[in-house]
Amino acid sequence: MSKILETHRDGRVQWLCFNRPEVLNALNSELLNALRDALEAATDDPEVRVVALTGAGRAFSAGGDLKFVLGELEEGTDGPDGVATSVPAFTALRNCPKPVIAAVNGPAVAGGFELLLFCDVLFAAESATFADGHAKYGLLPGGGGAAVLPRRIAPQRAKALLFSGDSVSAETMREWGMVYQVVPDDQLRTTVEQYCNKLADKSPLVLQGMKEVANAALDHSEALALRHEMLLLRNHMSSKDFHEGLTAFTEKRAPVFEGR
């Protein structure tokens, strides 16, 4: 029996793949708990330098498994607390200090779309689409749709998507700044693999520091963000990776970073 979340290590890149293709990778408590555990394991594993996230089949994720939730309600039980189940997974993704790269291979809707708000770099197949979708079914976002989407794209565009539930293309999302690159469907995996492997050769200390400062800068003044960056630089100058980079430059060779 296949795992609900397929995990695969490719060198120093940890791949995580939603594996419920028969329901377009709809998110249920089992899948969200598996995602949380995998992200926490990747965070704690010094051999993992980059995390890649994608979906099996023809969708990235269609969002929350509403049939499961409805079934629980019809049985007269409260069922699992969807918010309590999703928060740890979204928190693990948001707090992962390592680069998280998304390979969006098809529709990303509602909770699936919200997960992408906390990935660092998005690559999308030409056929991928993006939608919030909550308003279509009388639901409110709980994973950042209303809270974070306006920070990723212009507020008016965010509200237009939230209110309507409409889908937009990968190319539109690229133009709006949320998607980094759109590629032909059959080139998505290879493109993301090449990018992740490039990152895996970099100093993990540098990548984590850059991510920390860039994320925090969204909530800081420019002066405070610059101070944060300078403080991290001062600390980094005592690391072995800092000296290895300078030594490799003077010796005209590729640096070998240890992450310390």
Side-chain angles (χ1 to χ4, degrees):
M1 182 176 179
S2 298
K3 294 181 179 179
I4 197 167
L5 181 74
E6 292 286 354
T7 62
H8 169 69
R9 179 76 63 79
D10 180 9
R12 290 173 169 171
V13 180
Q14 181 65 59
W15 279 85
L16 307 178
C17 180
F18 301 135
N19 193 33
R20 301 186 72 207
E22 69 283 358
V23 290
L24 301 181
N25 298 317
L27 305 171
N28 61 10
S29 57
E30 184 182 358
L31 180 53
L32 287 167
N33 287 336
L35 177 62
R36 174 203 62 203
D37 293 345
L39 287 166
E40 290 177 349
T43 295
D44 294 338
D45 189 342
E47 295 301 314
V48 173
R49 296 191 176 180
V50 184
V51 177
L53 185 63
T54 192
R58 61 187 181 90
F60 177 78
S61 173
D65 191 338
L66 300 185
K67 289 184 179 180
F68 174 75
V69 175
L70 181 60
E72 292 290 321
L73 293 173
E74 289 177 343
E75 290 178 6
T77 66
D78 292 334
D81 185 336
V83 175
T85 300
S86 63
V87 165
F90 278 80
T91 299
L93 180 59
R94 185 174 65 249
N95 292 343
C96 182
K98 302 175 182 181
V100 179
I101 312 304
V104 188
N105 54 301
V109 183
F113 182 34
E114 289 176 303
L115 285 172
L116 295 174
L117 298 174
F118 302 105
C119 295
D120 297 301
V121 181
L122 274 59
F123 290 81
E126 288 177 338
S127 64
T129 56
F130 301 77
D132 180 73
H134 286 96
K136 287 188 173 182
Y137 302 102
L139 304 174
L140 276 168
V148 179
L149 184 59
R151 296 170 178 257
R152 302 291 184 264
I153 61 177
Q156 182 174 221
R157 288 170 175 165
K159 285 184 277 189
L161 292 185
L162 290 165
F163 296 164
S164 67
D166 290 344
S167 295
V168 296
S169 68
E171 182 57 30
T172 296
M173 274 301 186
R174 187 196 66 78
E175 293 173 357
W176 289 357
M178 185 167 166
V179 168
Y180 174 59
Q181 188 174 342
V182 178
V183 300
D185 289 26
D186 60 358
Q187 296 178 23
L188 179 64
R189 180 80 181 211
T190 300
T191 300
V192 175
E193 285 176 347
Q194 292 174 344
Y195 182 77
C196 288
N197 289 333
K198 182 188 298 184
L199 300 192
D201 288 336
K202 305 292 191 294
S203 164
L205 296 180
V206 166
L207 296 182
Q208 291 179 34
M210 288 177 170
K211 178 171 179 174
E212 177 185 331
V213 173
N215 285 349
L218 296 173
D219 297 314
H220 290 169
S221 67
E222 182 174 295
L224 186 57
L226 287 167
R227 178 175 174 79
H228 185 182
E229 183 178 76
M230 183 57 66
L231 289 173
L232 281 189
L233 171 59
R234 287 178 177 174
N235 290 334
H236 181 66
M237 290 175 69
S238 63
S239 70
K240 287 191 175 182
D241 279 5
F242 178 81
H243 291 279
E244 166 62 12
L246 294 179
T247 301
F249 176 79
T250 58
E251 295 177 354
K252 297 182 180 180
R253 60 173 175 80
V256 179
F257 297 114
E258 299 179 17
R260 56 194 180 95

